Amino acid sequence: MKTNAIRIHEYGGPEVLKWEEIDLPDPVAGEATIRHTAIGLNLIDTYHRSGLYPMDLPVGLGTEAAGIVEVVGQGVTDVAVGDRVVYTGMPTESYSERRNFSAARLVKIPDGITDNVAAAVLLKGLTAWYLLRRSYRVQEGDPILLYAAAGGVGSLASQWANQIGATVIGVVSTDEKAELARSQGCAHIIMADDDIPARVKELTDGRGVAAVYDSVGKDTFMASLDSLRPHGTMVSFGNASGPVDPFSPLELAKRGSLYVTRPVLFAFIETREKLLSACDELFEAMNSGVEVRIGQTYALKNAAQAHLDIEARLTTGSTVLLP
Ligand code: NDP
């Protein structure tokens, strides 16, 4: 079968994204063919495009999408033809009209959740889940610091942490994002160009926060350590400003025996059992009020514009690409 997909033949800026017709083979045993209806955009897609996370070229892009199962390979029992499904994972081929994917990694979309919302929430919502429930288990009353609070992961994590009873201090770069972040559960806002540790100390009676969720990386790592209380946890989970520079563990001792973790979603959902149980917690949080905000949509063919916008910090909430 022929299908259309965005692929890259070299690393670079958004201009390297090419819309191409490709051959899609029949699914092998254990795989299903999915016709995509909605594709999730994630900042990680720009790391794949730029070569920060290298892959063999040429290659597709995208690690999250929703759609309909069209064909199943031999031995597939987890899903059937016609099921509405969503998935996240490698290989990076979600920027396409159709693709084959391991059936054991497909999640049936519950009734009441649209394909667009499913594609907007799976990767980012599961990230919010492991950040708040696994990397550092947020307790009621904890003050926490969360960067990019109006972004994809940030808007879900701020609502969820607020639901748990944490006091969320959100970092954002514009007044519009500040307003959004407040409406999504941030009790306090710090602007990205403020003195972040000083503002955190003011807001926490000089103590610092229990945990920092830092997706900015290079530019904010040390400010994040300086914002923690003794024994606090630094969760460094992204590179929006570039990868974190090497640092001495003595920096952790100096600040009162800090913990640092550099997690990645796929380590928390590596089996089907773990994936489905994490999804149950995510869907439960959505039932209890965590809303998925799709801030913008783009035609899949226009993915380069979406990359330009997310890298220029122009997007809010989740972004969905439509095939
Ligand atoms: P977002 O929608 O949050 O977009 C990125 C945001 O980062 C921007 O809107 C901007 O918010 C902020 N930002 C701060 N500094 C910069 C900069 N120098 N350049 C660009 N943006 C900057 O993206 P996602 O929700 O897709 O991802 C959020 C973060 O989480 C990313 O860093 C991503 O890599 C990470 N992530 C990590 C995972 C993991 O398992 N480790 C899984 C999923 C995501 P503002 O303007 O308000 O500062």
Side-chain angles (χ1 to χ4, degrees):
M1 188 196 299
K2 297 278 184 199
T3 193
N4 292 297
I6 299 258
R7 286 161 56 83
I8 60 168
H9 294 256
E10 57 182 325
Y11 298 126
E15 70 283 354
V16 301
L17 271 57
K18 303 291 178 215
W19 178 250
E20 296 175 350
E21 189 182 70
I22 55 167
D23 283 318
L24 182 67
D26 291 337
V28 299
E31 278 187 348
T33 303
I34 302 128
R35 178 173 59 78
H36 289 150
T37 50
I39 296 150
L41 176 82
N42 292 284
L43 198 64
I44 193 175
D45 305 344
T46 69
Y47 308 157
H48 289 137
R49 188 208 72 220
S50 71
L52 177 66
Y53 293 173
M55 303 183 293
D56 290 336
L57 299 175
V59 71
L61 281 186
T63 55
E64 177 182 43
I68 310 285
V69 174
E70 274 195 336
V71 188
V72 292
Q74 226 184 351
V76 167
T77 52
D78 293 314
V79 292
V81 170
D83 281 350
R84 273 188 335 122
V85 294
V86 62
Y87 67 85
T88 177
M90 307 279 271
T92 55
E93 288 169 10
S94 305
Y95 287 16
S96 59
E97 291 174 343
R98 286 181 174 75
R99 70 154 323 157
N100 297 329
F101 199 66
S102 166
R105 306 300 295 168
L106 296 174
V107 177
K108 288 187 201 170
I109 303 175
D111 291 344
I113 297 182
T114 64
D115 293 11
N116 281 14
V117 166
V121 77
L122 193 74
L123 192 159
K124 297 165 201 70
L126 290 178
T127 300
W129 160 76
Y130 86 69
L131 291 173
L132 302 172
R133 309 321 285 145
R134 295 291 184 278
S135 288
Y136 170 77
R137 196 172 173 84
V138 169
Q139 309 293 320
E140 198 178 340
D142 274 346
I144 62 168
L145 182 66
L146 173 71
Y147 288 85
V153 173
S155 60
L156 295 163
S158 51
Q159 294 178 69
W160 201 333
N162 186 48
Q163 200 178 79
I164 294 165
T167 302
V168 185
I169 304 174
V171 181
V172 297
S173 64
T174 66
D175 291 341
E176 186 207 351
K177 289 182 180 183
E179 201 174 310
L180 249 176
R182 274 202 192 88
S183 74
Q184 292 171 158
C186 287
H188 307 286
I189 293 295
I190 300 179
M191 300 310 284
D193 55 4
D194 279 353
D195 179 340
I196 290 173
R199 290 280 294 122
V200 167
K201 294 280 157 63
E202 274 168 33
L203 294 167
T204 57
D205 295 328
R207 292 201 65 215
V209 289
V212 179
Y213 297 98
D214 184 338
S215 58
V216 177
K218 187 179 176 70
D219 289 353
T220 52
F221 189 82
M222 295 315 285
S224 294
L225 294 188
D226 286 335
S227 301
L228 283 163
R229 67 190 186 193
H231 307 290
T233 303
M234 164 68 170
V235 185
S236 172
F237 72 103
N239 323 290
S241 66
V244 173
D245 290 326
F247 71 98
S248 163
L250 282 176
E251 299 297 332
L252 310 178
K254 271 196 243 169
R255 291 166 175 79
S257 307
L258 303 180
Y259 295 88
V260 174
T261 178
R262 204 316 178 182
V264 56
L265 169 62
F266 301 106
F268 295 86
I269 52 169
E270 80 253 283
T271 63
R272 180 159 183 82
E273 200 185 5
K274 285 184 185 174
L275 170 68
L276 295 184
S277 117
C279 286
D280 284 346
E281 285 190 57
L282 171 61
F283 297 143
E284 177 53 38
M286 289 164 70
N287 280 335
S288 310
V290 171
E291 282 180 17
V292 181
R293 197 175 157 277
I294 300 176
Q296 48 286 308
T297 59
Y298 300 81
L300 172 60
K301 272 188 186 175
N302 213 5
Q305 187 63 47
H307 277 222
L308 279 172
D309 290 350
I310 196 168
E311 289 184 294
R313 304 164 82 152
L314 296 177
T315 62
T316 55
S318 293
T319 303
V320 173
L321 307 175
L322 299 170

